[in-house]
Amino acid sequence: MQVHALPGPWAPRHLVGFDLRRRPHLEADVLVIGGGVAGFCAALEAADAGREVLLLAKGSPEESNTAWAQGGIAAVLDPHEAQPNDTVDLHVRDTLAAGVGLCDEVVVRDLLADGARAIACLRRQGCNFDLDDQGAVALAREGGHAARRILHAQGDATGREIARALAQAVERHPGITTIPGAFAIDLLTEGGRVVGALYHRRDELIAALAGATVLATGGCGRVWRETTNPVVATGDGLAMAYRAGAAVADVEFMQFHPTTLYIAGGARLLITEAMRGEGAVLKNHQGERFMPGYHPQADLAPRDVVTRGIISEIRKSGFPHVWLDATHLGAEFLHHRFPTIVQACARFGIDPAKDWLPVHPSAHYHCGGVLTDAQGATTLPGLWAAGEVACTGLHGANRLASNSLLEGLIVGLRAGTAAAAAGGAPGRIRISADRPDPAPEDLDVQDLLRSVRSLMWRQVGIERTANELAMARRSLDFWAQHQARDAFRSPAGWELQNQLTVGALVATAALARTASVGTHTRTDSAGAVDPRHFSLVKP
Ligand code: FAD
Ligand code: SIN
């Protein structure tokens, strides 16, 4: 399915307008934008290949989707460590089933077969996974997986351990220079080739020039009002790549996680699916289990099915949430296996060993993104993308739980290798400029952002119709055209512009896909699911 370029205010705004001779700039062989699993792996791999790497990250290593990951990382390990009878073929089968026919099967086989090698790399970098009583790696089960194949760390703090180990490895590496607090504004292109990025740090605009650039900026959950994602997940990389002319794909597929803690005014803390994997069950306001009525895998059905089951129960009851009952798992087990969740719930006076948890779905993971191959190469020369910002075809219409850390790890490593091979000192670059007018001083960025996120939740959320999507597009166009059109001078304004762009991309692709599939539910569903893999948006 082809979705034509967004018209009007969405037209790619190339960042020309930058006279390098008068500005500070840095040079490296390889530029990596993003400090999560994908960016760290790309940087380490490129530096191990002897390249000089510059890594930019707007947030701290503790503030990324990677660091917040709970459940774990899915992989079929070498035969002596894997669960008996588990195979890569079974992992492939589960991934294809979750992706509802829209995965790229060649990519799925290729990436999942690389799982054991990639996990071994992670362990070599010092990442420690939990072990069972016999000292073997402990494997958990999550929704949609036919076997226990999820490695986890410190119970439910897998991402924190991965981020710690990789951040330390990056810090130790003499070939990598990390610039924290660096906000990448736009990719720099010359003659259609990406030659680096413009970034902002401490009130200064700086060009980072490189022979190869790896985009690893993560997801865009913050575009929706209800989300599990940290504040950095504003879709900057997706918007930047689109503006620079890269094709993006499958952007209508935002995965809504079924269970986030629902306390008015509180952060939407993820309640990991692994809790259901260990036996916790969803209940409605009559105290009855409802998932067996929606799917044979009941509480462990694929996420889109569980999310729709919850929405249906919420609609029937009129309450804003359903319940997750883990009380039968016992205090000792819950404290040991889910320490992060137990501690976070305690702040609200909730004890999962005694109380049912109020839960509700939230925007969680973006299955679509910048179109890449299985090595992370985008449609733009000089640019690779890896991790949540990218769309390799692994996830199709719905990601299988815990496949994303694995994808970020594998494609991050591969993109690092490819960028190292292609990188090298940037050639002579001449960039000329049109400087846009500054944004009006009286624009209340936070107020407009709240409106954007509410609109995305209401009209481009879990359930969609053509009418609502078209209304959403009109509002987003209006805001982009009249209020957020001009140049901002700070990250908050640039993030707002990026969120408007991502919102418009998602709404446009969702309008074009008229049939329900995977995470994309059209209550006015019409026609058949387009069997072609990608819904492409070409700028
Ligand atoms: P991130 O880890 O999000 O890193 C993005 C980096 O880019 C950050 O350093 C950020 O500061 C930087 N950045 C962004 N924009 C800019 C910019 N403009 N300029 C400079 N830097 C920028 N997946 C699993 O497989 N298993 C799980 O158990 C799991 N649990 C999850 C739990 C939660 C609460 C969440 C939110 C996600 C979870 N996921 C899980 C999904 C998974 O964590 C992410 O998909 C994955 O970590 C993404 O990694 P990444 O490297 O692509 O991006
Ligand atoms: C979870 O722990 O439920 C999240 C896992 C994931 O998003 O893959």
Side-chain angles (χ1 to χ4, degrees):
M1 180 182 301
Q2 293 269 342
V3 178
H4 293 293
L6 296 169
W10 310 106
R13 179 178 61 88
H14 284 280
L15 223 214
V16 288
F18 200 70
D19 184 346
L20 278 178
R21 283 158 308 189
R22 296 207 207 126
R23 292 279 177 183
H25 67 273
L26 298 174
E27 290 186 12
D29 297 329
V30 174
L31 171 68
V32 175
I33 311 175
V37 63
F40 285 149
C41 286
L44 286 166
E45 203 66 5
D48 278 350
R51 291 303 193 181
E52 207 179 298
V53 178
L54 192 62
L55 188 146
L56 310 179
K58 70 174 177 179
S60 69
E62 297 82 39
E63 200 181 30
S64 63
N65 283 14
T66 297
W68 285 26
Q70 291 185 359
I73 179 161
V76 178
L77 300 175
D78 288 329
H80 71 280
E81 283 193 299
Q83 211 196 9
N85 305 326
D86 194 16
T87 61
V88 171
D89 277 348
L90 275 180
H91 193 182
V92 168
R93 193 196 64 184
D94 294 344
T95 300
L96 295 176
V100 220
L102 297 191
C103 303
D104 183 327
E105 190 168 342
V106 174
V107 170
V108 173
R109 287 192 182 281
D110 176 12
L111 294 186
L112 299 186
D114 208 12
R117 178 193 74 94
I119 295 288
C121 280
L122 205 47
R123 284 163 141 177
R124 276 200 302 279
Q125 297 294 0
C127 179
N128 298 312
F129 290 106
D130 292 339
L131 303 178
D132 65 17
D133 295 343
Q134 277 75 50
V137 65
L139 295 172
R141 188 166 169 213
E142 288 180 8
H145 287 273
R148 284 186 165 262
R149 62 169 78 99
I150 318 289
L151 293 91
H152 48 86
Q154 297 163 25
D156 56 1
T158 311
R160 195 166 63 206
E161 172 62 6
I162 292 175
R164 177 205 64 75
L166 291 175
Q168 285 179 358
V170 162
E171 207 178 303
R172 282 194 304 267
H173 205 300
I176 305 174
T177 304
T178 302
I179 306 190
F183 185 99
I185 303 168
D186 256 318
L187 295 167
L188 296 169
T189 57
E190 192 177 58
R193 182 180 178 84
V194 174
V195 294
L198 179 71
Y199 71 92
H200 171 270
R201 187 167 187 260
R202 294 187 181 150
D203 287 333
E204 208 172 21
L205 290 182
I206 303 165
L209 304 177
T213 299
V214 181
L215 196 57
T217 47
C220 58
R222 301 296 293 194
V223 174
W224 283 262
R225 191 189 72 206
E226 304 288 328
T227 182
T228 62
N229 288 195
V231 290
V232 293
T234 49
D236 301 344
L238 180 58
M240 251 186 263
Y242 174 73
R243 284 194 294 265
V248 307
D250 282 358
V251 286
E252 63 274 38
F253 298 120
M254 167 48 76
Q255 182 178 71
F256 296 89
H257 195 290
T259 53
T260 42
L261 193 66
Y262 189 79
I263 309 263
R268 298 294 183 248
L269 171 78
L270 179 80
I271 306 295
T272 175
E273 195 158 303
M275 205 175 238
R276 279 175 282 131
E278 299 291 357
V281 290
L282 289 159
K283 291 185 170 169
N284 61 21
H285 284 266
Q286 277 77 51
E288 295 157 354
R289 287 189 64 190
F290 55 85
M291 277 314 299
Y294 289 92
H295 196 274
Q297 284 174 286
D299 299 89
L300 289 180
R303 274 183 196 171
D304 58 312
V305 178
V306 181
T307 290
R308 283 196 297 273
I310 292 175
I311 290 297
S312 161
E313 293 298 315
I314 283 176
R315 192 165 293 129
K316 279 189 227 161
S317 73
F319 284 93
H321 63 81
V322 294
W323 300 103
L324 184 70
D325 178 4
T327 53
H328 51 289
L329 300 181
E332 199 185 325
F333 177 79
L334 287 168
H335 277 82
H336 170 71
R337 181 70 179 83
F338 302 111
T340 311
I341 291 176
V342 169
Q343 277 167 28
C345 285
R347 289 205 298 273
F348 299 103
I350 297 174
D351 177 357
K354 295 195 186 120
D355 307 310
W356 295 357
L357 309 181
V359 291
H360 183 280
S362 292
H364 180 59
Y365 179 83
H366 200 210
C367 302
V370 182
L371 179 63
T372 71
D373 66 12
Q375 315 303 317
T378 70
T379 55
L380 283 185
L383 182 68
W384 283 258
E388 195 167 336
V389 70
C391 177
T392 60
L394 174 67
H395 309 302
N398 190 15
R399 174 188 61 121
L400 183 66
S402 288
N403 265 358
S404 44
L405 285 172
L406 185 72
E407 186 194 42
L409 170 63
I410 295 174
V411 184
L413 292 169
R414 292 180 179 191
T417 306
R428 282 181 62 79
I429 292 164
R430 199 170 35 80
I431 302 171
S432 58
D434 284 339
R435 192 167 301 284
D437 296 332
E441 304 257 311
D442 58 352
L443 178 68
D444 185 338
V445 169
Q446 291 311 321
D447 189 50
L448 180 49
L449 186 55
R450 268 192 295 277
S451 301
V452 173
R453 298 180 70 210
S454 296
L455 170 124
M456 290 299 290
W457 182 250
R458 277 194 325 272
Q459 296 186 328
V460 197
I462 298 169
E463 294 183 332
R464 300 159 175 184
T465 63
N467 272 348
E468 299 223 80
L469 291 166
M471 272 159 49
R473 263 307 304 268
R474 280 199 293 277
S475 303
L476 292 164
D477 282 359
F478 176 83
W479 288 326
Q481 181 88 58
H482 297 289
Q483 280 157 286
R485 183 188 176 98
D486 299 321
F488 285 90
R489 291 197 174 126
S490 68
W494 295 317
E495 284 179 345
L496 169 68
Q497 282 175 325
N498 290 335
Q499 282 166 277
L500 281 164
T501 302
V502 170
L505 283 169
V506 175
T508 304
L511 246 179
R513 192 180 281 283
T514 54
S516 292
V517 57
T519 65
H520 172 64
T521 302
R522 286 280 300 252
T523 50
D524 57 352
S525 186
V529 171
D530 189 320
R532 273 169 291 175
H533 291 157
F534 294 112
S535 52
L536 270 183
V537 186
K538 282 187 181 160

